[in-house]
Amino acid sequence: LSVPLQLAAFVSFVCFAASGSPGAYTALAVMEAVITALFFLLYLLKLDKKLSWLFWPLADIFNSVIAALFLLIVCLFAVIIKTNKGTLAGGVSG
């Protein structure tokens, strides 16, 4: 679930940044991509084994669900507003 979300957030970020859309669109897309990348790095470096006080799979699922909802809401706003073609493309790709 994390990799497709990170890819969608990155593609949306590129479209929003290229179109010069408002900062909230690009900021949320960057934030979601960075948080998902940090979770990926956490698992890659096996830090989840060292930090055993948190149940990491549940935290990852919770992050993915919240990120998907935020990205969905922002992309729906981008599609509804349609300020330019880049914003529309970012909303559709998200």
Side-chain angles (χ1 to χ4, degrees):
L1 185 62
S2 294
V3 175
L5 180 64
Q6 186 176 13
L7 184 64
F10 181 72
V11 169
S12 296
F13 162 70
V14 170
C15 292
F16 289 147
S19 70
S21 59
Y25 295 140
T26 54
L28 184 79
V30 167
M31 183 183 72
E32 299 304 341
V34 167
I35 291 172
T36 306
L38 289 175
F39 268 99
F40 183 70
L41 188 64
L42 177 103
Y43 289 125
L44 185 69
L45 297 175
K46 297 188 184 196
L47 293 175
D48 58 327
K49 305 283 190 231
K50 293 180 182 177
L51 303 171
S52 60
W53 50 270
L54 184 64
F55 188 60
W56 290 102
L58 184 62
D60 190 20
I61 290 171
F62 183 71
N63 172 53
S64 296
V65 168
I66 296 298
L69 286 174
F70 281 164
L71 199 59
L72 176 70
I73 291 168
V74 166
C75 290
L76 283 175
F77 281 136
V79 169
I80 290 169
I81 293 172
K82 295 185 256 189
T83 55
N84 57 27
K85 291 183 182 178
T87 305
L88 183 64
V92 170
S93 69

